[in-house]
Amino acid sequence: MPHSFHPHAPRIEPSAHPDDPHFVARMGWLRAAVMGANDGIVSVGALIVGVAAADPNPRAVMIAGSAGLVAGALSMAMGEYVSVSSQSDTERADILRERKALEEAPEQELHELAAIYEARGMSAATAMQAAREVSDHDALGAHVRDELGLSDASAANPLVAAFASALTFSLGAGLPLLTAMLVPGGAVILGVLVSVAIALAILGACGAWAGGAPLGPSILRVVVGGLLAMAVTALVGRIFGVSV
């Protein structure tokens, strides 16, 4: 097995037409980018709206928004780091178990691999031949790829994932915070709602474009979900009259 293998993500097969790659190859970074930006826009936007509904004082709004941006970015970074690290540890443990199984029962593992290929549509003879050939080339790599479903094609580094998550969250959170700084105090809620709706629509469109998905449903679910979260937060702030 090549020493460069570093599994962290679902298996993605090499494309037979690299000049026209499948959109699924983008899922790893696209999910993290969209999630981070969406969380930043919605959570800090909702926080600002909730605080403004309770106390429209510009200083209170800015303190809450700034604190939400910093706390959210750090939380996203730590969450992504822990999540990716835990996944990596689990996958590494599975690979070690597979390596041990290959050392102790290579013939049984060969038949397991053949059974996988046969379940995918190969004849029994072809499946066994394929299993022997890939095992002769790289037995552990074949089992890791075809039995465990792992590949380094979309592997994630915990530190890189943490940084990317914090960065996209901060960029998303910066928009409602900047809006709150620029609009007059009495128009903070409306201004933030409008800016967030526009940002979410753009985010949904970018996510759909990058993933090759239809624009309409992607934009709709992002915008509706975000505005609903902000509406609930504003309602809480208005009812209790406290910073939330």
Side-chain angles (χ1 to χ4, degrees):
M1 172 151 187
H3 295 296
S4 62
F5 184 86
H6 187 60
H8 290 292
R11 172 173 58 88
I12 297 178
E13 296 287 357
S15 175
H17 36 86
D19 57 324
D20 184 24
H22 294 297
F23 291 112
V24 70
R26 304 174 178 175
M27 284 196 306
W29 64 263
L30 181 59
R31 180 199 63 83
V34 171
M35 183 176 69
N38 184 79
D39 281 359
I41 295 170
V42 174
S43 62
V44 174
L47 181 63
I48 290 173
V49 168
V51 171
D55 179 7
N57 184 291
R59 184 171 182 273
V61 171
M62 292 308 302
I63 290 175
S66 300
L69 188 155
V70 174
L74 293 176
S75 176
M76 288 287 290
M78 183 55 65
E80 196 73 16
Y81 179 83
V82 171
S83 174
V84 174
S85 296
S86 297
Q87 181 178 339
S88 175
D89 292 343
T90 301
E91 292 172 351
R92 191 175 295 112
D94 277 344
I95 292 171
L96 290 175
R97 282 193 290 270
E98 198 63 34
R99 186 192 301 274
K100 184 177 181 180
L102 283 168
E103 293 172 353
E104 296 178 351
E107 195 63 24
Q108 179 180 335
E109 290 297 305
L110 178 67
H111 282 83
E112 282 185 11
L113 198 59
I116 292 172
Y117 296 154
E118 190 173 350
R120 292 178 181 174
M122 294 184 185
S123 67
T126 302
M128 179 56 71
Q129 179 63 25
R132 290 190 185 281
E133 290 185 6
V134 296
S135 294
D136 289 342
H137 172 68
D138 180 6
L140 181 58
H143 281 271
V144 167
R145 180 182 63 251
D146 295 321
E147 184 177 345
L148 301 182
L150 304 174
S151 170
D152 65 347
S154 55
N157 180 289
L159 289 176
V160 172
F163 175 78
S165 184
L167 177 62
T168 53
F169 181 95
S170 299
L171 292 174
L175 178 68
L177 187 58
L178 181 62
T179 301
M181 291 174 59
L182 296 177
V183 301
V188 167
I189 294 179
L190 179 60
V192 170
L193 285 174
V194 171
S195 67
V196 164
I198 294 173
L200 289 176
I202 293 173
L203 179 65
C206 290
W209 172 81
L215 283 177
S218 178
I219 294 174
L220 185 63
R221 64 172 172 260
V222 172
V223 172
V224 171
L227 293 182
L228 179 61
M230 294 180 65
V232 172
T233 309
L235 181 62
V236 171
R238 180 70 68 181
I239 291 174
F240 293 99
V242 295
S243 299
V244 291

